[in-house]
Every structure is written in structure tokens, then in C-alpha cells.
Amino acid sequence: MKINHILTFTLLSVLISCSTISYTGETNKPSDKIDVYYKEKDVAHPYKTVGRIITIARNKDNKAKEKIMEKAKSVGADAVIFSGVYFTEEKTASAYEKADVIKYTD
């Protein structure tokens, strides 16, 4: 029984690590350009949150942010609000970049 748990955990870990970007939310016609914000209060337009993007942040470059912006464009976002880098609490901690996907309502 314990071996089944170990195998299941290992399989889930491998599947999660292979997935470098995750999106949950609405999908619209792709966008050519998106605005980028780091605080909700900085958004100058009325908006609604339509999704969330999470990606693995493997190093100090901006590849995670670039992936998020490309994904946001592909799902038709008007903008993203980056909420920061988060770490798992595992023995081998992983870093994740998160952003809310928004559509302007005006």
C-alpha cells in the first residue's frame, strides 16, 4: 500500500513538473497587446478578473513573466496583474509566478 502512495506521488510530481504553465478561466479571441500591472490599484480601467495563470519560475530571468504574458494574449486578456513569486513548502522547494488575467469592462 505504501508503495502505491509513493508511485502515485512520484507520477503526480513528474506530471506537474512537465507542465510549465497552467491557465484556469475564460477564453476569448486572442489579443495582440496586453497591459501589465503589479498592483490592483494601478489598473486605470474598470475590469473583471477572468482567470489565473501560474507558471514555474526556474531562475532569475523574466522567462516566467514572458510565458504568462504570451498565455494571456492567447486567451484574449486585456491585461495581467502579477501577484508575485510563491514557493512550495516541500523539501525541494519550487518557485511559481502567478498572475490574474483581466478584461476591461469599459
Side-chain angles (χ1 to χ4, degrees):
M1 186 70 169
K2 188 173 184 173
I3 291 177
N4 284 340
H5 291 300
I6 292 170
L7 290 173
T8 301
F9 177 76
T10 303
L11 179 60
L12 286 173
S13 297
V14 168
L15 290 173
I16 290 169
S17 66
C18 291
S19 174
T20 58
I21 192 158
S22 173
Y23 175 69
T24 303
E26 296 176 14
T27 302
N28 297 292
K29 180 181 168 189
S31 307
D32 294 330
K33 174 189 164 299
I34 60 166
D35 296 327
V36 175
Y37 300 98
Y38 293 93
K39 293 183 181 178
E40 290 179 12
K41 68 179 183 131
D42 293 338
V43 181
H45 304 273
Y47 69 91
K48 69 177 186 171
T49 302
V50 296
R52 170 161 281 182
I53 299 173
I54 302 172
T55 189
I56 296 171
R58 295 185 185 217
N59 47 34
K60 294 180 182 181
D61 62 15
N62 284 326
K63 290 201 183 296
K65 285 185 173 60
E66 291 170 9
K67 284 182 184 179
I68 286 174
M69 291 186 299
E70 286 304 313
K71 183 65 176 179
K73 287 179 188 177
S74 76
V75 299
D78 290 324
V80 293
I81 305 171
F82 283 100
S83 56
V85 176
Y86 298 87
F87 296 89
T88 60
E89 294 182 17
E90 300 169 358
K91 201 173 195 180
T92 57
S94 298
Y96 294 89
E97 181 89 31
K98 296 181 182 181
D100 288 331
V101 176
I102 65 174
K103 287 291 287 178
Y104 298 136
T105 58
D106 58 356

